[in-house]
Amino acid sequence: MNPLIAQIAAHSPGLRDWLALTSVIFSIGLYGLLTRRNAVGILMAVELMLNSAAMNFVIFNRFCLPARMDGSVMAIFVIAVAAAEVVVGMAIFVALYRYRGTVDVNQMNTMQDPVISIEGPGDFNREVMKNINKQYKSRHDH
Amino acid sequence: MIASAIYTVLFYAIAAGTILLALAVVNTRKLLRAAVALMGALSTTAGLYAMLDAQFLAGVQVLVYVGGIVVLIVFAIMLTRSGELLEDNPTLKRKLVGAVISIGFLVSSVGAVWGSPFAIASAGKAPANDALMIGKALLDYGPGGFVVPFEVISLLLLAAMLGGIVIARKTPPTGQPFTSGGDLPGEAEVYHPLSQRDDETGGRAS
């Protein structure tokens, strides 16, 4: 037998190698989550993290309980939840884009009180905010 | 022996490809390219599932993730016009904070994995027909069955579908709250279709 093949076969990936791989993918997703500013980019990073977490279920199933299928079932549930999350997230982004014209997460402070946030910190679009405040006040005056 | 060597080489090759594609997902400035890289990363993950003896799950991954979720994300990119603009490079502080937190998580989790003993079952053999086993487990109402989460997930998908339609719908009926318009100040006036149509016909008449 060729010694090189024997040496390669001796390094067959075990449980810890698989878990290290999913940890690396999860960390990359975490980095993207913290550095992206576009909301769709953040959603993609979250997809990476969900994907690696679902793979952990399958890995533990394969190595610790190979006769059963519980890990695969849990991974299917995770995939279904991810699909639901993407649908709702995309709907929110489309509605938000229609209202604000951007999906930059640094400018998402709609849930603050509009009267307060005009003096608040941050690089918010002040013209839009003043307009909203005017309509808000005129609606609440009468 | 040769099969084991091939398995090892395949694992490291696919793992390296997955990591590179994942790095492309988080680092590309054009979001459409990031979506294509995400498609590649999810496809290689399907390959990893196949290597873990979960063939049915590999198929589900390709069908749902690559065929469904990535297409939805591409739709989201195009509908919000994120593909046209280059995303700003994150500031150095932001990159540094992200790198420190993610590398800290990586070190701690890999350290925990390396330091803890696992009950590895070496003798077990994966079932030959995993789709049959998964189907039986999903509809089994005895102990160890998953019929209740299965029903709950179907309700969740229905709710997500309805919620997506309601949130992203363009013109809300007048006087109805909980839509993208109407309850936000100023939007009903700006986006009301009837008033715009009146303006257009008025312009043509005069």
Side-chain angles (χ1 to χ4, degrees):
Chain A
M1 183 59 69
N2 193 334
L4 181 65
I5 292 179
Q7 198 181 357
I8 291 175
H11 287 84
S12 181
L15 175 62
R16 292 192 169 90
D17 301 314
W18 283 99
L19 291 181
L21 170 66
T22 54
S23 294
V24 169
I25 299 173
F26 191 94
S27 303
I28 293 171
L30 190 62
Y31 174 77
L33 184 78
L34 291 171
T35 53
R36 282 271 190 216
R37 285 182 57 179
N38 193 305
V40 186
I42 290 177
L43 193 68
M44 284 194 268
V46 171
E47 287 306 317
L48 273 183
M49 294 163 75
L50 272 174
N51 195 43
S52 68
M55 202 156 78
N56 263 5
F57 281 113
V58 186
I59 291 166
F60 277 115
N61 184 4
R62 168 74 177 75
F63 283 97
C64 297
L65 207 61
R68 289 179 60 90
M69 277 283 138
D70 294 350
S72 294
V73 173
M74 292 309 287
I76 286 176
F77 285 150
V78 172
I79 289 174
V81 170
E85 173 235 339
V86 166
V87 167
V88 176
M90 177 195 153
I92 289 174
F93 296 156
V94 169
L96 197 66
Y97 178 76
R98 196 178 296 138
Y99 178 51
R100 300 289 298 272
T102 178
V103 284
D104 192 334
V105 292
N106 275 12
Q107 300 185 9
M108 288 185 188
N109 48 5
T110 312
M111 286 179 82
Q112 292 179 0
D113 189 355
V115 183
I116 292 173
S117 67
I118 196 169
E119 280 92 14
D123 49 354
F124 191 70
N125 187 343
R126 281 166 192 273
E127 288 306 312
V128 173
M129 209 66 240
K130 278 177 188 168
N131 207 9
I132 291 176
N133 272 348
K134 218 186 295 173
Q135 288 165 345
Y136 186 81
K137 278 176 187 164
S138 71
R139 178 174 293 188
H140 282 261
D141 280 347
H142 49 73
Chain B
M1 180 73 86
I2 287 193
S4 176
I6 290 175
Y7 186 87
T8 309
V9 169
L10 261 184
F11 169 75
Y12 284 107
I14 297 180
T18 309
I19 290 171
L20 286 179
L21 285 166
L23 279 174
V25 169
V26 299
N27 278 323
T28 326
R29 288 175 67 203
K30 288 193 172 177
L31 273 181
L32 217 50
R33 286 187 190 166
V36 174
L38 181 68
M39 184 186 277
L42 296 174
S43 309
T44 51
T45 308
L48 291 174
Y49 280 147
M51 290 181 67
L52 283 168
D53 292 334
Q55 285 87 6
F56 178 72
L57 206 56
V60 167
Q61 172 91 359
V62 171
L63 276 178
V64 177
Y65 259 115
V66 181
I69 291 180
V70 171
V71 171
L72 263 183
I73 286 178
V74 169
F75 275 166
I77 291 172
M78 290 177 172
L79 286 177
T80 59
R81 292 197 188 170
S82 304
E84 297 173 6
L85 11 123
L86 281 176
E87 194 172 19
D88 291 344
N89 261 330
T91 57
L92 189 65
K93 183 188 163 201
R94 217 179 160 97
K95 272 187 182 173
L96 216 60
V97 170
V100 165
I101 290 179
S102 58
I103 289 177
F105 172 81
L106 177 65
V107 168
S108 61
S109 67
V110 171
V113 163
W114 237 261
S116 52
F118 292 109
I120 297 178
S122 54
K125 184 81 183 73
N129 196 346
D130 60 339
L132 182 71
M133 293 277 293
I134 288 174
K136 277 184 177 170
L138 274 178
L139 291 177
D140 184 11
Y141 48 82
F146 290 93
V147 69
V148 174
F150 180 70
E151 296 296 333
V152 169
I153 218 87
S154 64
L155 271 182
L156 174 78
L157 285 173
L158 180 66
M161 188 176 73
L162 290 178
I165 293 172
V166 167
I167 293 171
R169 180 170 53 179
K170 180 153 190 178
T171 55
T174 49
Q176 183 179 343
F178 306 123
T179 56
S180 70
D183 52 342
L184 294 173
E187 195 189 22
E189 287 84 352
V190 175
Y191 287 104
H192 203 283
L194 289 177
S195 63
Q196 285 176 0
R197 199 173 300 152
D198 285 345
D199 287 348
E200 283 177 12
T201 53
R204 277 183 210 135
S206 67

